[in-house]
Amino acid sequence: MVIGLGCDHRGFRLKEALRKHLAEREASVHDFGTNSEQPVDYPIIALRLAVAVSRCEAARGILVCGTGLGMAIAANKVPGIQAATVHDVHTARLARERNDAHIIAIGADVVKNEENAVRIVAAFLDARFQGGPSVAKIARIAAIEHRFRGGRSTGGHPWTRP
Ligand code: RB5
């Protein structure tokens, strides 16, 4: 499974730590940058990663910025993408199990320590979409997108659709 990883300057240190963790999991990582603490506008990175996920070039995405908010908002503008801001293991797991999120966005300033971020990422990657009553709700989200953007109305990412 290819995992996309991206950050802005505020998420850079945490992104580097997560890259090492993903290597230990023997995950195949595609790093979308940024690669320093030089300021970069987070939508640029979020767009690159979200487009790759929407094209199935990466199965999951992990974005890191200061709050996890801007990255998720930007990624969700790409048709077919479901990105969620998560700051703990519980929401990371449910983002996958219930919301069929392909991408999570973590706030480096919120999560603070590396160990916590590693646990959050592991919870997301180890979880599976549970289907059931969530399927109809996700189909409704896709229908909203279809109505306003002319995007797909297929009910989620093709790799994870039940
Ligand atoms: C810095 O650009 C900051 O706004 C960003 O890291 C993030 O917190 C946005 O939501």
Side-chain angles (χ1 to χ4, degrees):
M1 177 191 283
V2 177
I3 297 162
L5 194 54
C7 66
D8 72 354
H9 49 290
R10 284 182 44 196
F12 172 67
R13 286 187 194 184
L14 191 54
K15 188 261 288 178
E16 290 300 293
L18 291 174
R19 192 150 55 87
K20 287 188 198 111
H21 162 70
L22 291 170
E24 282 161 20
R25 282 178 66 113
E26 298 182 358
S28 174
V29 176
H30 185 146
D31 190 339
F32 290 87
T34 188
N35 293 309
S36 76
E37 290 184 290
Q38 286 293 314
V40 61
D41 289 346
Y42 61 80
I44 296 169
I45 307 293
L47 174 68
R48 283 183 198 155
L49 183 144
V51 166
V53 171
S54 76
R55 291 178 178 161
C56 298
E57 292 162 9
R60 303 278 183 274
I62 296 155
L63 290 165
V64 192
C65 62
T67 59
L69 298 173
M71 285 287 203
I73 291 168
N76 276 315
K77 298 296 180 192
V78 175
I81 287 300
Q82 279 147 214
T85 300
V86 298
H87 287 138
D88 54 38
V89 164
H90 182 66
T91 49
R93 183 171 56 77
L94 289 184
R96 188 77 212 97
E97 289 185 356
R98 305 262 176 93
N99 305 104
D100 197 16
H102 328 112
I103 297 175
I104 53 169
I106 300 172
D109 298 347
V110 184
V111 168
K112 289 195 171 80
N113 77 70
E114 206 175 293
E115 293 71 27
N116 200 18
V118 164
R119 280 194 289 270
I120 288 168
V121 166
F124 172 63
L125 295 178
D126 292 340
R128 295 286 167 268
F129 179 55
Q130 297 294 303
S134 297
V135 173
K137 294 163 194 164
I138 289 161
R140 283 187 188 276
I141 294 172
I144 295 169
E145 182 174 287
H146 185 69
R147 179 172 163 191
F148 289 98
R149 297 183 185 166
R152 293 196 318 251
S153 61
T154 48
H157 189 272
W159 286 16
T160 55
R161 228 178 290 138

Short mmCIF file of all heavy atoms in Angstrom, two decimals, residues 8-10 42 65-67 69-70, ligand 1:
data_model
loop_
_atom_site.label_atom_id
_atom_site.label_comp_id
_atom_site.label_asym_id
_atom_site.label_seq_id
_atom_site.Cartn_x
_atom_site.Cartn_y
_atom_site.Cartn_z
N ASP A 8 3.24 21.21 5.68
CA ASP A 8 3.78 22.55 5.44
C ASP A 8 4.94 22.74 6.41
O ASP A 8 5.37 21.79 7.09
CB ASP A 8 2.68 23.62 5.55
CG ASP A 8 2.21 23.87 6.97
OD1 ASP A 8 2.64 23.14 7.89
OD2 ASP A 8 1.42 24.80 7.18
N HIS A 9 5.46 23.96 6.47
CA HIS A 9 6.63 24.21 7.33
C HIS A 9 6.36 23.89 8.80
O HIS A 9 7.24 23.41 9.49
CB HIS A 9 7.08 25.67 7.18
CG HIS A 9 5.96 26.66 7.32
ND1 HIS A 9 4.98 26.79 6.36
CD2 HIS A 9 5.66 27.54 8.30
CE1 HIS A 9 4.12 27.73 6.75
NE2 HIS A 9 4.51 28.19 7.92
N ARG A 10 5.12 24.12 9.25
CA ARG A 10 4.82 23.86 10.66
C ARG A 10 4.68 22.38 10.97
O ARG A 10 4.80 21.95 12.12
CB ARG A 10 3.58 24.64 11.10
CG ARG A 10 4.00 26.10 11.27
CD ARG A 10 2.96 27.03 11.74
NE ARG A 10 2.10 26.61 12.81
CZ ARG A 10 0.96 27.24 13.08
NH1 ARG A 10 0.57 28.24 12.33
NH2 ARG A 10 0.22 26.87 14.09
N TYR A 42 0.15 25.77 2.67
CA TYR A 42 -0.30 24.38 2.83
C TYR A 42 -1.22 23.86 1.70
O TYR A 42 -1.17 22.67 1.39
CB TYR A 42 -0.96 24.17 4.21
CG TYR A 42 -2.18 25.01 4.45
CD1 TYR A 42 -3.41 24.65 3.95
CD2 TYR A 42 -2.12 26.19 5.20
CE1 TYR A 42 -4.53 25.42 4.15
CE2 TYR A 42 -3.24 26.98 5.42
CZ TYR A 42 -4.44 26.59 4.89
OH TYR A 42 -5.56 27.35 5.08
N CYS A 65 0.03 19.92 9.29
CA CYS A 65 0.26 21.37 9.29
C CYS A 65 0.20 21.82 10.76
O CYS A 65 0.34 20.99 11.66
CB CYS A 65 -0.73 22.11 8.40
SG CYS A 65 -2.46 21.98 8.86
N GLY A 66 0.00 23.09 11.01
CA GLY A 66 -0.01 23.55 12.39
C GLY A 66 -1.21 23.01 13.17
O GLY A 66 -1.08 22.53 14.29
N THR A 67 -2.38 23.09 12.53
CA THR A 67 -3.61 22.69 13.21
C THR A 67 -4.27 21.45 12.63
O THR A 67 -5.18 20.89 13.25
CB THR A 67 -4.64 23.82 13.09
OG1 THR A 67 -4.86 24.06 11.68
CG2 THR A 67 -4.16 25.11 13.76
N LEU A 69 -6.18 21.74 10.18
CA LEU A 69 -7.46 22.24 9.64
C LEU A 69 -7.35 22.65 8.18
O LEU A 69 -8.13 22.18 7.33
CB LEU A 69 -7.94 23.43 10.49
CG LEU A 69 -8.23 23.10 11.96
CD1 LEU A 69 -8.53 24.37 12.75
CD2 LEU A 69 -9.39 22.12 12.07
N GLY A 70 -6.41 23.51 7.88
CA GLY A 70 -6.29 24.01 6.50
C GLY A 70 -6.00 22.89 5.51
O GLY A 70 -6.55 22.87 4.40
C1 RB5 B 1 0.50 28.12 8.83
O1 RB5 B 1 0.37 28.46 7.50
C2 RB5 B 1 -0.79 27.50 9.36
O2 RB5 B 1 -1.88 28.28 8.96
C3 RB5 B 1 -0.97 26.06 8.87
O3 RB5 B 1 0.10 25.29 9.31
C4 RB5 B 1 -2.23 25.39 9.35
O4 RB5 B 1 -2.35 25.44 10.74
C5 RB5 B 1 -3.46 25.78 8.65
O5 RB5 B 1 -4.58 25.37 8.92
#
